[in-house]
Coordinates of all heavy atoms in Angstrom, one line a residue:
K1 N 30.0 4.8 30.8 CA 29.1 4.0 29.9 C 30.0 3.2 29.0 O 31.2 3.4 28.8 CB 28.2 4.9 29.0 CG 27.2 5.7 29.8 CD 26.3 6.5 28.9 CE 25.2 7.2 29.8 NZ 24.2 7.9 28.9
E2 N 29.4 2.2 28.4 CA 30.0 1.3 27.4 C 30.2 2.0 26.1 O 29.5 2.9 25.7 CB 29.3 0.0 27.3 CG 29.2 -0.8 28.5 CD 28.6 -2.2 28.3 OE1 28.1 -2.4 27.1 OE2 28.6 -3.0 29.2
R3 N 31.2 1.5 25.3 CA 31.4 2.1 24.0 C 30.2 1.7 23.1 O 29.7 0.5 23.2 CB 32.7 1.5 23.4 CG 33.1 2.2 22.1 CD 34.5 1.7 21.7 NE 35.5 2.1 22.6 CZ 36.8 2.0 22.4 NH1 37.2 1.5 21.3 NH2 37.7 2.3 23.4
E4 N 29.7 2.6 22.3 CA 28.5 2.3 21.5 C 28.7 2.7 20.1 O 29.5 3.6 19.7 CB 27.3 3.1 22.0 CG 27.4 4.6 21.9 CD 26.0 5.3 22.3 OE1 25.0 4.6 22.5 OE2 26.1 6.5 22.4
F5 N 28.1 2.0 19.2 CA 28.1 2.2 17.8 C 27.5 3.5 17.4 O 26.4 3.9 17.9 CB 27.4 1.1 17.1 CG 27.3 1.3 15.6 CD1 28.3 1.1 14.7 CD2 26.0 1.6 15.1 CE1 28.2 1.3 13.4 CE2 25.8 1.7 13.7 CZ 26.9 1.6 12.8
V6 N 28.1 4.2 16.5 CA 27.6 5.5 16.0 C 27.2 5.4 14.5 O 26.1 5.6 14.1 CB 28.6 6.6 16.2 CG1 28.1 7.9 15.5 CG2 28.9 6.9 17.6
A7 N 28.2 5.0 13.7 CA 28.0 4.9 12.2 C 29.1 4.1 11.6 O 30.2 3.9 12.2 CB 28.0 6.3 11.6
A8 N 28.9 3.5 10.4 CA 29.9 2.8 9.7 C 29.6 2.9 8.2 O 28.5 3.2 7.8 CB 29.8 1.3 10.1
I9 N 30.7 2.7 7.5 CA 30.6 2.7 6.0 C 31.4 1.6 5.5 O 32.6 1.4 5.9 CB 31.0 4.1 5.5 CG1 30.7 4.2 4.0 CG2 32.4 4.4 5.8 CD1 30.8 5.7 3.4
T10 N 30.9 0.9 4.5 CA 31.6 -0.3 4.0 C 32.8 0.2 3.1 O 32.9 1.3 2.6 CB 30.7 -1.1 3.1 OG1 30.1 -0.3 2.1 CG2 29.6 -1.7 4.0
G11 N 33.7 -0.8 2.8 CA 34.8 -0.5 2.0 C 34.7 -1.4 0.7 O 33.6 -1.4 0.1
G12 N 35.7 -2.1 0.4 CA 35.6 -3.0 -0.8 C 36.3 -2.5 -2.0 O 36.4 -3.3 -3.0
G13 N 36.6 -1.2 -2.1 CA 37.3 -0.7 -3.2 C 36.5 -0.4 -4.4 O 36.9 -0.1 -5.5
T14 N 35.1 -0.6 -4.3 CA 34.2 -0.2 -5.4 C 33.7 1.2 -5.2 O 34.1 1.9 -4.2 CB 33.0 -1.1 -5.5 OG1 32.2 -0.9 -4.3 CG2 33.5 -2.6 -5.5
N15 N 33.0 1.7 -6.1 CA 32.4 3.0 -5.9 C 31.0 3.0 -5.2 O 30.4 4.1 -5.1 CB 32.2 3.7 -7.3 CG 33.6 4.0 -7.9 OD1 34.5 4.4 -7.2 ND2 33.7 3.9 -9.2
T16 N 30.6 1.9 -4.8 CA 29.4 1.8 -4.0 C 29.6 1.5 -2.6 O 30.3 0.5 -2.3 CB 28.5 0.7 -4.7 OG1 28.2 1.0 -6.0 CG2 27.1 0.6 -3.9
Y17 N 29.2 2.3 -1.7 CA 29.3 2.1 -0.3 C 28.0 2.2 0.4 O 27.1 2.9 0.0 CB 30.3 3.3 0.3 CG 31.6 3.3 -0.4 CD1 31.9 4.2 -1.5 CD2 32.6 2.4 -0.1 CE1 33.1 4.2 -2.1 CE2 33.9 2.4 -0.7 CZ 34.1 3.3 -1.7 OH 35.3 3.4 -2.3
Y18 N 28.0 1.4 1.5 CA 26.7 1.4 2.3 C 27.0 2.0 3.7 O 28.0 1.6 4.3 CB 26.3 0.0 2.4 CG 25.9 -0.6 1.0 CD1 26.8 -1.4 0.3 CD2 24.6 -0.4 0.5 CE1 26.4 -1.9 -1.0 CE2 24.3 -0.9 -0.8 CZ 25.2 -1.7 -1.5 OH 24.9 -2.2 -2.7
A19 N 26.1 2.8 4.1 CA 26.3 3.4 5.4 C 25.3 2.9 6.4 O 24.1 2.6 6.0 CB 26.2 4.9 5.3
Y20 N 25.7 2.8 7.6 CA 24.8 2.3 8.7 C 24.9 3.3 9.9 O 26.0 3.8 10.1 CB 25.3 0.9 9.2 CG 25.3 -0.1 8.0 CD1 26.4 -0.3 7.3 CD2 24.2 -0.8 7.7 CE1 26.5 -1.2 6.2 CE2 24.2 -1.8 6.7 CZ 25.3 -1.9 5.9 OH 25.4 -2.9 4.9
Y21 N 23.8 3.4 10.6 CA 23.7 4.4 11.7 C 23.1 3.8 12.9 O 22.2 2.9 12.7 CB 23.0 5.7 11.2 CG 23.7 6.4 10.1 CD1 23.3 6.2 8.8 CD2 24.7 7.3 10.4 CE1 23.9 6.9 7.8 CE2 25.3 8.0 9.3 CZ 24.9 7.7 8.0 OH 25.5 8.4 7.0
A22 N 23.5 4.2 14.0 CA 22.7 3.9 15.2 C 21.3 4.6 15.0 O 21.2 5.7 14.6 CB 23.4 4.5 16.4
D23 N 20.3 3.8 15.4 CA 18.9 4.3 15.1 C 18.6 5.6 15.8 O 18.0 6.5 15.2 CB 17.9 3.3 15.7 CG 17.9 2.0 14.8 OD1 18.4 2.0 13.7 OD2 17.4 1.0 15.4
S24 N 19.2 5.8 17.0 CA 18.9 7.1 17.7 C 19.6 8.3 17.1 O 19.3 9.4 17.4 CB 19.4 6.9 19.1 OG 20.8 6.7 19.2
L25 N 20.6 8.0 16.2 CA 21.4 9.1 15.6 C 21.1 9.4 14.1 O 21.5 10.4 13.6 CB 22.9 8.8 15.7 CG 23.4 8.6 17.1 CD1 24.8 8.2 17.1 CD2 23.2 9.8 18.0
K26 N 20.3 8.5 13.5 CA 20.0 8.6 12.1 C 19.3 10.0 11.9 O 18.3 10.3 12.6 CB 19.1 7.5 11.7 CG 19.0 7.2 10.2 CD 18.2 6.0 9.9 CE 18.8 4.8 10.5 NZ 18.0 3.5 10.1
G27 N 19.7 10.7 10.9 CA 19.1 12.0 10.6 C 19.9 13.1 11.1 O 19.9 14.2 10.5
R28 N 20.7 12.9 12.2 CA 21.6 14.0 12.7 C 23.0 13.8 12.3 O 23.8 14.7 12.1 CB 21.5 14.1 14.2 CG 20.2 14.6 14.7 CD 20.3 15.0 16.2 NE 20.7 14.0 17.0 CZ 21.7 14.1 17.9 NH1 22.5 15.1 17.9 NH2 22.0 13.0 18.7
F29 N 23.5 12.5 12.2 CA 24.9 12.2 11.9 C 25.0 11.6 10.5 O 24.1 10.9 10.1 CB 25.4 11.2 12.9 CG 25.6 11.8 14.3 CD1 25.1 12.9 14.7 CD2 26.5 11.1 15.2 CE1 25.3 13.4 16.0 CE2 26.7 11.5 16.5 CZ 26.1 12.7 16.9
S30 N 26.1 11.9 9.9 CA 26.3 11.4 8.5 C 27.8 11.0 8.4 O 28.7 11.7 8.7 CB 26.0 12.5 7.5 OG 26.2 12.0 6.2
I31 N 28.0 9.8 7.8 CA 29.3 9.3 7.6 C 29.7 9.3 6.1 O 28.8 9.1 5.3 CB 29.5 7.9 8.2 CG1 31.0 7.4 8.2 CG2 28.6 6.9 7.5 CD1 31.2 6.1 8.9
S32 N 30.9 9.6 5.8 CA 31.4 9.6 4.4 C 32.9 9.3 4.4 O 33.5 9.3 5.5 CB 31.1 11.0 3.8 OG 31.8 12.0 4.4
R33 N 33.3 9.0 3.2 CA 34.8 8.6 3.1 C 35.3 9.2 1.8 O 34.6 9.4 0.9 CB 35.0 7.1 3.2 CG 34.4 6.4 2.0 CD 34.5 4.8 2.2 NE 35.9 4.4 2.4 CZ 36.2 3.3 3.0 NH1 35.3 2.5 3.5 NH2 37.5 3.0 3.1
D34 N 36.6 9.5 1.9 CA 37.4 10.0 0.7 C 38.6 9.1 0.6 O 39.5 9.2 1.4 CB 37.8 11.5 0.9 CG 38.5 12.1 -0.3 OD1 39.1 11.3 -1.0 OD2 38.4 13.3 -0.5
N35 N 38.5 8.2 -0.3 CA 39.6 7.2 -0.4 C 40.9 7.8 -0.9 O 42.0 7.3 -0.6 CB 39.2 6.1 -1.3 CG 38.1 5.2 -0.7 OD1 38.0 5.1 0.5 ND2 37.3 4.5 -1.5
V36 N 40.8 8.9 -1.7 CA 42.1 9.6 -2.1 C 42.8 10.2 -0.9 O 44.0 10.1 -0.8 CB 41.7 10.6 -3.2 CG1 43.0 11.4 -3.6 CG2 41.1 10.0 -4.4
K37 N 42.0 10.8 -0.1 CA 42.6 11.4 1.1 C 42.8 10.4 2.3 O 43.3 10.8 3.3 CB 41.8 12.5 1.6 CG 41.7 13.7 0.6 CD 40.9 14.9 1.2 CE 40.9 16.0 0.2 NZ 40.1 17.2 0.7
R38 N 42.3 9.2 2.1 CA 42.4 8.1 3.1 C 41.8 8.6 4.4 O 42.3 8.5 5.5 CB 43.8 7.7 3.4 CG 44.5 7.1 2.1 CD 45.9 6.8 2.4 NE 46.6 6.3 1.2 CZ 47.9 6.2 1.1 NH1 48.7 6.5 2.1 NH2 48.5 5.8 0.0
T39 N 40.6 9.2 4.3 CA 40.0 9.8 5.4 C 38.5 9.5 5.5 O 37.8 9.4 4.4 CB 40.1 11.4 5.4 OG1 41.5 11.7 5.4 CG2 39.5 12.0 6.6
V40 N 38.0 9.2 6.7 CA 36.6 9.0 6.9 C 36.1 10.2 7.8 O 36.8 10.6 8.6 CB 36.3 7.7 7.5 CG1 36.9 7.5 8.8 CG2 34.8 7.4 7.5
Y41 N 34.8 10.6 7.5 CA 34.3 11.8 8.2 C 33.0 11.4 8.9 O 32.3 10.5 8.5 CB 34.0 12.9 7.2 CG 35.2 13.4 6.4 CD1 35.3 12.9 5.1 CD2 36.1 14.3 6.9 CE1 36.4 13.3 4.3 CE2 37.2 14.7 6.1 CZ 37.3 14.2 4.8 OH 38.4 14.6 4.1
L42 N 32.8 12.1 10.0 CA 31.5 12.0 10.7 C 31.0 13.4 10.9 O 31.5 14.2 11.7 CB 31.7 11.3 12.0 CG 30.4 11.1 12.8 CD1 29.5 10.1 12.1 CD2 30.6 10.7 14.2
Q43 N 29.9 13.7 10.1 CA 29.3 15.0 10.2 C 28.2 14.9 11.3 O 27.3 14.1 11.2 CB 28.6 15.5 8.9 CG 27.9 16.8 9.0 CD 28.8 17.9 9.2 OE1 29.9 18.1 8.6 NE2 28.4 18.9 10.1

């Protein structure tokens, strides 16, 4: 299969981030980031 989008989270260096999800995965998957640890997570 082709590569497909799962989730994304904006950057920008502010404390406000926006998350986006594939419609079929919304509610089961969650994206977050920790800028201190330089890590992004997908639950």
Side-chain angles (χ1 to χ4, degrees):
K1 295 188 177 181
E2 294 186 353
R3 189 171 298 189
E4 66 173 350
F5 171 75
V6 174
I9 187 166
T10 57
T14 69
N15 291 326
T16 301
Y17 302 98
Y18 298 95
Y20 304 91
Y21 298 94
D23 290 342
S24 61
L25 301 176
K26 198 176 299 183
R28 290 197 300 125
F29 287 18
S30 177
I31 189 171
S32 61
R33 65 188 300 158
D34 185 330
N35 290 335
V36 174
K37 295 182 178 179
R38 298 176 188 169
T39 300
V40 63
Y41 303 98
L42 183 68
Q43 178 67 44

